[in-house]
Amino acid sequence: MARVVCPGSFDPVTNGHLDIIGRAAGLHDEVIVAVLINITKKTLFTVDERVEMLGEVTRGYGNVRVERFHGLTVDFCVANGVNMIVKGLRAVSDFEYEMQMAQMNYRLAKIETMFMTTNPQYSFLSSSLVKEVAKYGGDVSGLVPEPVLGRLHTRLAVSLPGE
Ligand code: PNS
């Protein structure tokens, strides 16, 4: 069985992520979306919230499941019988760091990385930009799935007065 891992922070999942996950699901038997638990990084959404949102927006894919992990991505891959990571590449600026990670992951555990070019519709899109634009009231509809849009509005409406 060809099982792959799509790792990331997904804070929050964007339509760019979802495009890659969906295309990976069409190419492989099973896709595990692995959400990194990183207690040192300040995130807008908790891991539980990020996993829940991903679960909702990938529900339509019978071969996608969402898990959380901490530590090395390659250790998660090995523990789950996976030998390939799938990542999206938006622009040349992504390439250098992604290549370093891919080479390190291969060196650590012989885990391959498959890069998929992001749909040009989403080549400028990142979770950080979405959060920044939404924080200042900009329109991010069409850039994140509907359930994420709702949660973004609720979270930022609550956090704005305290800033
Ligand atoms: O969505 P992100 O934050 O760009 O995803 C980065 C992620 C989670 C894929 C990367 O930071 C990662 O794999 N972290 C886990 C720790 C690890 O394996 N580090 C070594 C990478 S070579």
Side-chain angles (χ1 to χ4, degrees):
M1 173 188 261
R3 184 186 287 155
V4 297
V5 163
C6 285
S9 304
F10 303 104
D11 184 43
V13 57
T14 68
N15 283 345
H17 291 130
L18 201 51
D19 176 62
I20 296 293
I21 293 167
R23 283 158 59 199
L27 290 171
H28 304 283
D29 296 321
E30 189 180 8
V31 176
I32 308 176
V33 180
V35 182
L36 177 67
I37 303 168
N38 184 351
I39 48 168
T40 61
K41 192 170 163 186
K42 194 174 169 349
T43 54
L44 181 64
F45 294 103
T46 65
V47 174
D48 285 345
E49 289 171 325
R50 286 179 272 149
V51 167
E52 193 181 302
M53 285 186 274
L54 276 159
E56 279 178 44
V57 303
T58 59
R59 197 169 288 149
Y61 297 103
N63 61 342
V64 175
R65 65 184 161 100
V66 185
E67 302 279 349
R68 67 196 70 204
F69 77 104
H70 55 82
L72 293 174
T73 299
V74 290
D75 289 341
F76 177 83
C77 289
V78 171
N80 286 277
V82 171
N83 64 6
M84 190 185 287
I85 291 168
V86 172
K87 299 292 288 282
L89 270 187
R90 286 167 299 193
V92 178
S93 50
D94 278 346
F95 185 73
E96 204 171 337
Y97 185 50
E98 291 295 344
M99 193 175 68
Q100 286 174 350
M101 284 201 286
Q103 289 172 336
M104 179 62 88
N105 287 332
Y106 187 80
R107 184 181 193 277
L108 287 170
K110 300 246 176 323
I111 305 291
E112 299 283 2
T113 300
M114 173 183 168
F115 290 115
M116 299 180 70
T117 52
T118 296
N119 184 326
Q121 218 182 327
Y122 305 124
S123 58
F124 61 93
L125 185 56
S126 69
S127 299
S128 320
L129 261 189
V130 162
K131 284 182 282 188
E132 181 168 335
V133 171
K135 180 175 162 184
Y136 294 110
D139 181 11
V140 293
S141 54
L143 302 179
V144 292
E146 280 296 324
V148 175
L149 196 60
R151 279 188 182 77
L152 263 177
H153 286 153
T154 313
R155 178 60 42 88
L156 294 167
V158 169
S159 67
L160 270 175
E163 285 180 344

